[in-house]
Amino acid sequence: MNLSQLNRILLQTLMLPVVALLLVSGALIWQIGNAQRTVADIQVADRNIALTTQIMNLVDDEETGLRGYQNTGNEIFLQPYIQAAPRLNNSILQLHRAIVLQGHDTSLLDQFTSAHELWLDTVALPVIGLVQAGGNTRDAGLNLHGKAEMDHIRAIGAALMNKQQARRQAEVRRWQEQVRHTLEGVIGTAVFLGLAIGLFARSRLHLVTHAFHGAIDALRRNAQATYDSEQRLRTTLTSIGDGVVVCNQDGRIELLNTVAEQLTGWRQEEVFHRHVTDVFHIVHESTRELIDNPVGAVLATRHTVSLSNHALLLRRDGSEIHIDDSGAPIFDRSGALAGVVMVFRDVTEQHRTQAALLANEKLAVAGRLAATLAHEIHNPLDSVVNLLYLMKTSTSAAETAEFLDLARTELDRVTQISRAMLSMYRESKTPISINLKDLLESVLLLMHRQLSHAGVTLHKDLGEGSLITGYPAELRQVFTNLLANAADVSPSGSSIEVSLRRTPAVRSENSRDLRPAGVTVAITDHGAGIPADVLDRLFQAFFTTKGEKGTGLGLWVSQGIIQKHGGDIKLDTHTTGDNRGTTISVFLPRGSAAPSTPIPTVV
C-alpha cells in the first residue's frame, strides 16, 4: 500500500463519522427548531393567561369602585373604576392581537367585550348618573340587573381563561412529544451509525494494519541503517585530532570526543546534557576576563564564529592552555537551528614559539634601531652646538637665557630619545594643544646654523591659526628630519621655502570620506629631485640614498608619527626643468591625535 492509498483510506475513515455527525446534527437542529417554536407558543399561551387574569382583575376593580361610589356618593371611591378603564381596554386589545397572531378564534373574547360594554351602558353609567342626580341608588331591580350582568361577564372570562389554559396544556403535551421523538431518533440514529461506522472502520483498519506492518519493517531497516551511520559518525568525531563538542539548540552538551575530554578534563558521561558554560570556561590571556562562549554566539547569530588568538581554556584541574577554536551551526532539513558544533585545539606550543619569535624580532629591531641612535641624537646635539655658538655671540643676557632654555630642551630630547630606545615604544598618551607656528619657529631657529654653513637661504611663510592637538616632541622630530633632508640635497646658493597654511575640509580623491580641516606644512627644496625608481621605496624602513651617512629610518619614522596624528605626507618632485626640486607636504588635522600606540619610534 502506497502513501496515496493510505491517505485515501484515512480520509474515508475520517469523513464517514463527519458525514454521519452532520446528518445527526441536521436532524437535531430541525427538532430543536420545532421544540423552540413549541416553547414560543407555550410562552404566548402564558402571556395570554396573564392578560386574561389581568382583565378579570380590572373588571373587579371597576365593579368595586362603582359599588363604593354607589354606597357613599363620594367620588374618591370611583377612582378604581376610572383608572381601570384605559388599562382594561389596552389589555383586551393585546389579548385580541395575540389570539389573532396564533390563528385562533376570537369569538369568546368578542363576547366578553360585548358583555362588558353592555354592563357599562346598562349598569355602570346609569348608576353614576343616578348618584350624581341624587336619586335612589338602592333600587333592588337595578342592583339585581347589575349583578346579573357582572356574573355573565365573569362566566365569559372564566370560559376564556379555561380556553387559554387548555391551549397551553396542548402546547406542553406537543413539546413533550417532540422531546421524546428527538431522544428516540438520536438513540436510534446513534446505534445505527455506530454500527455502520464500526464495521466500516474495522474493514479499513485491516488494510491499515497490513500496511503498518510493512511500514514497521521498513522503518526497522532504516533505523538500523541510521544507527550504523550514527556510529560511524561518532567514531569519526572521536578519532578527529581536534576537540569536538556538539550541543543542542539549548546549548547543552550531547557529545564530547576523546580529544575534548583530554583538553577539558571532563568525561562524556559527566557532562552529558549539561550546559556548555558549566564545562567550557574561556578567559583572555591578558585581562583574565571571561570571553563569550562560541556556542552562545552561534545560537545568537546562526553563523560560524571564531575565538580570538588570546583565549585561554580553564581546565577542570585548574590548569590553563591556549586554544584556537570555532563554532558552527547545525541545521535540520527544514532549515531550523538544531544545534552547534564547536571544534578547538591546543595551541600552547604554537603560542610559545610565536612569543619566542616575537622576542627575537624585537631584539633584532632594537639592534637595528640602536645603530641609528647616533644619527637621531645628532640633530639635537647639533642644535645644542648652534645654541652655544649663538650664546657666545649674543649681546644680551635675555638672548643668552633664551638660548640656554632651548639648549636644555634639546638635551631633554636626547634623554627622551635614549629612554625610547630602551623600551622601543613611546608611551605618551596625553596629546596637548600645539601652536604649530611656534613649533616651526623653534625648529627653524635650531636649524639656522646648519643651513647657513650649507649656504642655503631660508624663506618662511608661516600664517596664523595653526593650533592642533598632538605630541610636540614627535612633531619636532618630524620637521627636523624633513628640514635636514632638504638641507642635504640643496646645493650651495639655493633656497628652502617653508610655508604654513590652513586647509579646509575636503573630500579625499577616489573616496567618499571627508578629510577634516587642518593645517599643511610644505617644505620645498631646489635640489636634483627624486628619481621615479626611488620614489616608491622612499618611506620603507632602512632604505636610504645617503649611503653610509644615512640609516633609512628618518622618513619611515616620520610617516608613522604623522599617521598617528591622523595626517599624511605627500611628495611632489621634479628632476628636470626650471622647477626642479622636491616639495614635501605634511597635513595635520585640527582634531585630537590618536592615543599613543606601541609603535617603534626614534625621536
Side-chain angles (χ1 to χ4, degrees), residues 245-255 274-277 293 295 299 328 330 338-342:
V245 179
V246 179
C247 303
N248 61 15
Q249 64 270 27
D250 297 323
R252 299 192 176 276
I253 297 175
E254 294 185 343
L255 174 65
R274 290 184 61 176
H275 202 276
V276 67
T277 55
N293 197 290
V295 174
L299 292 175
I330 302 174
V340 178
V341 58
M342 180 173 60

Side-chain angles (χ1 to χ4, degrees), residues 30 36 43 47 50 120 131 139 146 178 204 240 242 253 255 270 283 286 298 363 428 491 554 561 564 572:
W30 180 70
Q36 287 178 340
Q43 292 174 346
R47 286 195 296 271
L120 289 176
V131 172
D139 182 17
Q178 289 175 344
R204 300 295 94 182
I240 290 178
D242 293 338
I253 297 175
L255 174 65
E270 294 175 330
V283 298
S286 301
V298 172
L363 290 175
S428 175
I561 292 173
K564 187 176 77 172
D572 182 19

Side-chain angles (χ1 to χ4, degrees), residues 414-481:
V414 173
T415 301
Q416 187 180 24
I417 291 171
S418 63
R419 290 176 179 174
M421 289 301 300
L422 291 176
S423 63
M424 293 180 56
Y425 296 95
R426 182 170 181 83
E427 298 295 340
S428 175
K429 296 182 180 179
T430 55
I432 62 174
S433 179
I434 303 172
N435 188 321
L436 200 56
K437 177 182 178 182
D438 293 343
L439 187 144
L440 287 173
E441 290 282 10
S442 64
V443 172
L444 293 175
L445 178 61
L446 295 177
M447 296 293 298
H448 177 73
R449 179 173 176 273
Q450 180 179 350
L451 295 176
S452 297
H453 285 179
V456 178
T457 303
L458 179 66
H459 299 285
K460 58 182 180 179
D461 180 14
L462 307 181
E464 299 294 337
S466 58
L467 289 178
I468 64 170
T469 302
Y471 304 90
E474 296 181 0
L475 293 178
R476 189 189 302 274
Q477 174 198 354
V478 170
F479 293 117
T480 301
N481 283 338

Side-chain angles (χ1 to χ4, degrees), residues 392-547:
K392 182 178 179 180
T393 59
S394 63
T395 58
S396 65
E399 288 183 352
T400 301
E402 180 182 357
F403 295 150
L404 183 60
D405 289 338
L406 291 175
R408 184 182 297 109
T409 300
E410 294 303 313
L411 290 176
D412 289 340
R413 287 185 60 227
V414 173
T415 301
Q416 187 180 24
I417 291 171
S418 63
R419 290 176 179 174
M421 289 301 300
L422 291 176
S423 63
M424 293 180 56
Y425 296 95
R426 182 170 181 83
E427 298 295 340
S428 175
K429 296 182 180 179
T430 55
I432 62 174
S433 179
I434 303 172
N435 188 321
L436 200 56
K437 177 182 178 182
D438 293 343
L439 187 144
L440 287 173
E441 290 282 10
S442 64
V443 172
L444 293 175
L445 178 61
L446 295 177
M447 296 293 298
H448 177 73
R449 179 173 176 273
Q450 180 179 350
L451 295 176
S452 297
H453 285 179
V456 178
T457 303
L458 179 66
H459 299 285
K460 58 182 180 179
D461 180 14
L462 307 181
E464 299 294 337
S466 58
L467 289 178
I468 64 170
T469 302
Y471 304 90
E474 296 181 0
L475 293 178
R476 189 189 302 274
Q477 174 198 354
V478 170
F479 293 117
T480 301
N481 283 338
L482 297 181
L483 284 169
N485 289 340
D488 290 340
V489 300
S490 296
S492 179
S494 64
S495 63
I496 295 177
E497 291 87 25
V498 180
S499 64
L500 172 66
R501 68 180 185 278
R502 283 187 281 185
T503 305
V506 295
R507 197 169 298 281
S508 302
E509 297 180 1
N510 301 323
S511 174
R512 296 183 179 181
D513 297 332
L514 186 68
R515 191 177 76 168
V519 294
T520 299
V521 178
I523 301 174
T524 303
D525 65 70
H526 298 279
I530 303 174
D533 59 336
V534 174
L535 191 61
D536 294 337
R537 297 186 294 163
L538 201 58
F539 288 97
Q540 295 179 2
F542 304 109
F543 175 79
T544 180
T545 59
K546 299 179 182 179

Side-chain angles (χ1 to χ4, degrees), residues 48-62 87-88 90-93 95-96 109 112 157 160:
N48 292 343
I49 292 172
L51 286 172
T52 304
T53 302
Q54 184 178 5
I55 290 171
M56 297 307 299
N57 292 334
L58 291 173
V59 169
D60 291 340
D61 291 341
E62 283 184 334
R87 295 174 59 194
L88 180 61
N90 185 49
S91 298
I92 291 173
L93 182 61
L95 181 59
H96 187 274
L109 180 60
F112 178 87
L160 183 62

Side-chain angles (χ1 to χ4, degrees), residues 205 227 265 539:
L205 284 176
Y227 175 78
F539 288 97

